[in-house]
Amino acid sequence: MSGPGVARVEGIPYRLPLRGTLAWGAHSALDAAEHVLVRVTLDDGTVGTAEATPRPTIYGETPQSVVAILQHLEPALKGLEITDEAALNRVRNNVANNHTARGALDMALWDARARAQGLTLWDTLLGPNPRVRVSFILGIGTPAGMLAEAERVVTVGVRCLKVKVGRDHARDLAVIRDLRRAFGEDVQLYADSNETLTPDLAPAALAAMREAGLTYVEEPLPVRELRARADLHARSILPIVADDSCFTPADLARELDFNTFDILNVKTARNGFTDGLKMLRAAAAQGKRGMVGSQASSGLGTLHAALLSTQAEVTEPCELSFVLKLEDDLLDRPLSFQNGWLDVPALRDYQLDPVRLARYQC
């Protein structure tokens, strides 16, 4: 089946302020979403869009590097038929790394392909689980500040909190106890350690997290400590979520070989739809659970992550509420959460607001 060809690929940087600062890991912090709108235009005028979320401290990308890599790839993409997925992916994967640039390009191509056929991503990607449980990323801050932010998002419908930990173990446990007292069993809690523990301290730390009522922990050990991570997982102290260790399908294959985790956190922001689907299915085939994460995505990125979250292989709450951390967004209306859930089919008609894009464009 032939189709229109790619005519143009462009990146439009924009900046959305956050409500306060998101802090994680040993030193990282973020006070604005400095992202790039990726736009693919076909020769029949069809346009597909997606959000790239560069993170210099994680992927080594910046908004400027995302724009540059799109410019680098554009000549080879021009003229390729939008239905020729194999050819488009060969070009997209001709460069190494550049995860968020390539992931966003993949999603923009999916969007353009659907629209060229008179469809939308909701027609082509909506899975069998249209209602998705959502989680909120609770960054490191003062105990009072973390509790206040948790109360704010729970009030508007969130029922699962991913608590960033790793700078002070005793303080982390105190915050978790405060959260448990505040919300009881109505709110699920899990931790994201962002590789901050050491092999000798991790078993006791995970046991303490389990006793505090956490359901799982994300990346407790540095990715480079492969054998230590396999050993920690084999102890079955607390289910482990794989994130930083599984940037790519090749990374996932290694982690499956060494059996280092229980739950795979796929991020459309770095994997797009093509690799995201592939990774969820590969993990599920070996009995692993699945979730869809956020790279501090704004509304457009959340729409795309939500669609992947409806797939059968996704079993856990997904990070679809980061928009609650934004002071404003590019969508034409705010997302709504109901008692812990997001109704994904209800998002079908959400659109980018050109006035907001013009306001926040860099």
Side-chain angles (χ1 to χ4, degrees), residues 7 16 19 56 73 114 126 150 189 212 231 249 257 285 294 304 313 323 329 339 341 343:
L16 297 170
R19 296 171 181 251
L73 292 172
L126 189 67
L189 302 175
D231 176 70
D257 282 346
S294 169
H304 292 161
E313 296 82 5
V323 289
D329 192 24
N339 199 30
W341 297 83
D343 181 0

Side-chain angles (χ1 to χ4, degrees), residues 39-121:
R39 183 182 287 163
V40 172
T41 303
L42 307 184
D43 54 24
D44 68 350
T46 300
V47 177
T49 56
E51 176 184 47
T53 60
R55 292 289 172 269
T57 61
I58 302 173
Y59 307 121
E61 292 176 281
T62 66
Q64 294 79 12
S65 77
V66 169
V67 172
I69 207 69
L70 294 174
Q71 291 172 343
H72 173 78
L73 292 172
E74 184 184 41
L77 290 168
K78 277 187 174 181
L80 292 180
E81 292 182 355
I82 192 61
T83 53
D84 192 346
E85 296 181 47
L88 293 168
N89 283 327
R90 276 196 298 272
V91 174
R92 190 174 60 85
N93 292 321
N94 262 341
V95 292
N97 303 316
N98 291 283
H99 299 295
T100 70
R102 292 189 300 111
L105 177 58
D106 178 66
M107 292 186 288
L109 289 167
W110 273 70
D111 188 28
R113 185 178 306 116
R115 292 176 186 276
Q117 298 168 5
L119 304 171
T120 72
L121 288 174

